[in-house]
Amino acid sequence: MVSRRSVRNFIDRPLDPKVRTAIESKCAVLAQSLAGQECRIVPVFRSMGGKIGSYGVIRNAQCWLVLVYRDSDVFSAVNAGMVMENMVLWLTSQGLGTCWVGGTFSRSDVSKYVAVRENDKIAAMVAAGEAAGRDSLLSGIMKSAIGSRHRKKFEELFKTEVDSPFRPALEMMCLAPSSYNSQPWRGIESPAGVMNFYTSMNNSSGFLNLGIALSHFTYFAPKGTWRVVEGAPLYKGAVYALSWISG
């Protein structure tokens, strides 16, 4: 999580067959992060061109992971974000570079390579492959313009006790990627080991981005379970999603 950076410039060659097989196997046995939800990751091993989406230019990516989820409620997007970021972290552990792609890419073009069922939604894609070194000048300029290296302070995102057992996990959330580096996730600690989560973007993108960050949280959080808590505290400018109950 600490070392992972978005990669937009890849080596222009197909992935090693063993790596490709490992990715296909991983996608075939996905574990859902939230009970009752359904998402899948479809690997597409081919070039999709240069400019994909609204955030940067992807160069030479030969592997695209397409995130598709069954759109049933707001938790569908949260679960999808968690599952895909788990995949991104696994790819990073395998030495591959990755980059989340959302925004304005053409869903209709991508659907040529992915079977989409009724109520399915193509949420985002991740470009993956061997990093080619430094990003292009254009990509660097776009990073600077959007502020991808500037993140909100912990205190802007979370309201916790100084010695909170959740702090290590919340600090890892601060490292998570998000669309336009918006970091829409928020959190309030309640008594008795409860951490409540919110998003400042009340749409599918906001809940997807929350899920991405919650993937980081679950790696370091005290043992517990996800639950929707009636009467959860309000967070000004954000909508409640769900809570982690320790124990």
Side-chain angles (χ1 to χ4, degrees):
M1 294 179 191
V2 175
S3 63
R4 189 257 168 196
R5 297 289 185 274
S6 293
V7 173
R8 295 174 177 80
N9 193 20
F10 297 90
I11 295 175
D12 188 13
R13 65 177 177 227
L15 289 179
D16 181 280
K18 292 182 179 179
V19 174
R20 173 171 172 161
T21 298
I23 292 173
E24 290 173 327
S25 298
K26 190 76 173 176
C27 291
V29 292
L30 286 180
Q32 304 299 314
S33 295
L34 298 179
Q37 297 298 329
E38 179 186 348
C39 76
R40 53 198 171 100
I41 298 174
V42 183
V44 178
F45 297 99
R46 57 162 294 145
S47 172
M48 288 197 186
K51 184 165 182 173
I52 302 291
S54 57
Y55 185 17
V57 176
I58 308 298
R59 294 170 58 87
N60 303 323
Q62 300 294 320
C63 175
W64 294 88
L65 302 177
V66 182
L67 177 60
V68 183
Y69 67 83
R70 183 60 57 90
D71 194 6
S72 57
D73 53 39
V74 296
F75 303 110
S76 302
V78 176
N79 174 72
M82 295 172 76
V83 171
M84 181 63 106
E85 182 64 6
N86 288 343
M87 174 66 76
V88 167
L89 295 175
W90 176 79
L91 291 167
T92 302
S93 74
Q94 303 302 301
L96 296 176
T98 59
C99 185
W100 275 87
V101 179
T104 59
F105 71 85
S106 172
R107 267 70 177 174
S108 60
D109 286 347
V110 175
S111 64
K112 297 174 184 176
Y113 311 108
V114 177
V116 179
R117 301 165 297 184
E118 186 177 1
N119 295 325
D120 273 358
K121 182 172 183 177
I122 299 176
M125 299 190 296
V126 166
E130 299 175 75
R134 299 184 63 180
D135 284 340
S136 67
L137 176 61
L138 177 58
S139 181
I141 292 172
M142 296 182 79
K143 280 184 181 179
S144 298
I146 294 172
S148 63
R149 296 184 180 91
H150 302 287
R151 294 183 176 273
K152 294 180 173 66
K153 295 180 180 179
F154 183 94
E155 292 72 21
E156 294 180 67
L157 301 174
F158 306 113
K159 300 176 182 180
T160 67
E161 298 296 329
V162 174
D163 58 349
S164 170
F166 294 113
R167 189 171 184 100
L170 297 175
E171 288 176 342
M172 290 299 103
M173 286 184 70
C174 293
L175 301 178
S178 58
S179 58
Y180 299 98
N181 199 38
S182 56
Q183 294 179 270
W185 46 83
R186 303 290 185 269
I188 299 177
E189 184 178 6
S190 292
V194 178
M195 192 69 211
N196 308 290
F197 291 102
Y198 311 74
T199 175
S200 61
M201 297 167 55
N202 190 13
N203 54 33
S204 59
S205 178
F207 285 100
L208 178 74
N209 281 276
L210 173 61
I212 293 170
L214 291 181
S215 163
H216 289 212
F217 174 83
T218 53
Y219 278 94
F220 294 90
K223 184 178 180 180
T225 57
W226 292 112
R227 191 180 306 167
V228 175
V229 174
E230 295 293 334
L234 299 177
Y235 196 116
K236 186 177 180 180
V239 294
Y240 172 70
L242 73 175
S243 302
W244 182 259
I245 313 297
S246 298

